[in-house]
Amino acid sequence: MPRATGSVESTRSFELDCLAVFRNSFYRCLEMRADALFELADAVLCSDGPVTTLVGLSLVAEHRRGHGGLYDGLGSGRIDVAGLRRSLAALLVPRDGDGRIMLAVDVSPWLRPDAATSPDRAFCHVYGRGKGQAQMIPGWPYSFVAALEPGRSSWTAMLDVVRIDPNDDLTTVTATQVREVVDRLRRAGQHRPDDPDILIVFDAGYDVTRLAHLLTDLPVELVGRIRSDRVLAFPASARPAARTGRPAKHGPEFALADAATHPEPAAATRADTDRYGVAEASAWNRLHPRLKHRDNWAGHAGPLPTIEGTLLRLRVQRLPGDRNPKPVWLWCSNPEATAPEIDKYWRTFLRRFDIEHTFRFFKQTLGWTRPHLRDPHAADRWTWLVIAAHTQLRLARTLTHDLRHPWEKPASRPHHLTPARVRRGFRNLRPTTALPARAPKPSHPGPGRPPGTKNKQPAPHQPVGKTPTTSTGTAGGG
């Protein structure tokens, strides 16, 4: 989608048109119960305060249907997810100063510890308060892909989401998801052959080296955090002509926790930051992990590959609440990274944490994990409605007024509002944009279950986590 140029009035008109186009496109992607689902998304955008209950959205004026239609839309509706993904990829994607697209991939759980009858729950890793307080709680893990803003911001552009099945391999799911997102961006004209490679950042928990191997044919560069106890290896030196036997595959070891194994870095940068003080980055080129035929590589046919990249060590002067922070180790898929590229990599990795603001906004304000839905497919529909609502807020970020509370500070810059403040003014903006949903027809609620009768078909309890498969290919468990 082209960027608007010209006067303030023409820019506002262009942005209103973009919002209207997306709303119409979103409505066309709702294949069944379209009006109920569309007005449910509008209720999320126009309700007063955070969304605390799903049924409470039926009381919002923009939702003209009853609570029965609301639940019927989530339970029996149908969304053209492929079409909605294409619509998201066609929107203006944020880029850095060099025109590079920066993507962040992360998993956020929808915790359902008490939903014993909900299928497809997995054990989700949740960080607790205090050291050693992490827990594994049943829920639905969702993998998100978002485009990052170039500077400090609480805005991200959500491009895709996938619910991870308990029997899925996280690396395989992530590689497939990233490949599809990049393909959609290329088909939408967001990335051309002469553009800089798309930079994708991952936090700890991802096998970034295996992802680099699976995505080696794409125009992408991967940067991911690795554990501080890893041991990598340099390339093997050339074998003397007189020596016989199998040539060495690995060179000298590089133990991240052992400074004695660290040679002089190939490049180093130093920068002053407002939030972290002095940041120093050191890089060693052409380092690779020593792979074994086990775990994720157990089924690999043929000899294991040598996946070379650049190892980065980032040291900052301070962190919020920590005056003596430990170094952060990063690995990128570019084996010959230069000093300017190293500076770009660690700065982009720090921008990755902007997606945490989006997750918190999803859960605390838009009420993503508030509904007590049993069916995971209904949870998927609600998740896409939340993403569509957040996308409309992003398109309207310069169109609404700052309706701040008396105790809140004004925005630091004009039209530089947070998602929560844009949402406060969306109700006033909504009448000026597209309203494709049709008016509800007169109806009467059904009789329901006769009074005094019991439910003779209770929902069965579902297993949590990985389940064994039978010879017929169905999941076991009750």
Side-chain angles (χ1 to χ4, degrees), residues 131-145:
K131 185 177 181 180
Q133 297 299 317
Q135 304 178 54
M136 302 297 291
I137 300 178
W140 293 315
Y142 282 85
S143 175
F144 292 85
V145 178

Side-chain angles (χ1 to χ4, degrees), residues 348-397:
T348 304
F349 175 78
L350 295 182
R351 292 273 64 78
R352 189 212 72 84
F353 294 96
D354 293 343
I355 198 174
E356 303 294 342
H357 296 287
T358 303
F359 291 155
R360 184 168 61 249
F361 181 69
F362 277 9
K363 294 180 179 181
Q364 296 182 2
T365 304
L366 300 186
W368 171 43
T369 58
R370 287 290 184 173
H372 295 167
L373 301 174
R374 178 192 300 172
D375 186 7
H377 299 290
D380 295 345
R381 298 184 193 101
W382 172 246
T383 302
W384 278 110
L385 291 184
V386 171
I387 290 179
H390 180 263
T391 302
Q392 295 180 59
L393 292 178
R394 184 170 63 89
L395 296 175
R397 58 194 294 185

Side-chain angles (χ1 to χ4, degrees), residues 189-244:
Q190 303 282 8
H191 187 272
R192 296 178 174 84
D194 55 344
D195 290 341
D197 289 345
I198 299 174
L199 187 57
I200 309 176
V201 291
F202 304 86
D203 200 8
Y206 286 91
D207 191 348
V208 63
T209 54
R210 184 167 174 240
L211 286 171
H213 175 71
L214 296 175
L215 303 174
T216 185
D217 58 321
L218 294 181
V220 298
E221 291 182 351
L222 275 60
V223 177
R225 185 175 181 177
I226 61 176
R227 300 192 314 270
S228 59
D229 59 350
R230 293 285 299 272
V231 178
L232 305 180
F234 285 99
S237 58
R239 185 181 62 175
R243 181 174 297 179
T244 60

Side-chain angles (χ1 to χ4, degrees), residues 321-363:
D322 188 358
R323 289 293 179 179
N324 297 304
K326 296 181 180 179
V328 175
W329 293 93
L330 307 175
W331 187 91
C332 67
S333 58
N334 182 3
E336 297 288 350
T338 61
E341 293 173 330
I342 293 168
D343 189 69
K344 171 67 69 175
Y345 292 151
W346 70 261
R347 290 181 183 273
T348 304
F349 175 78
L350 295 182
R351 292 273 64 78
R352 189 212 72 84
F353 294 96
D354 293 343
I355 198 174
E356 303 294 342
H357 296 287
T358 303
F359 291 155
R360 184 168 61 249
F361 181 69
F362 277 9
K363 294 180 179 181

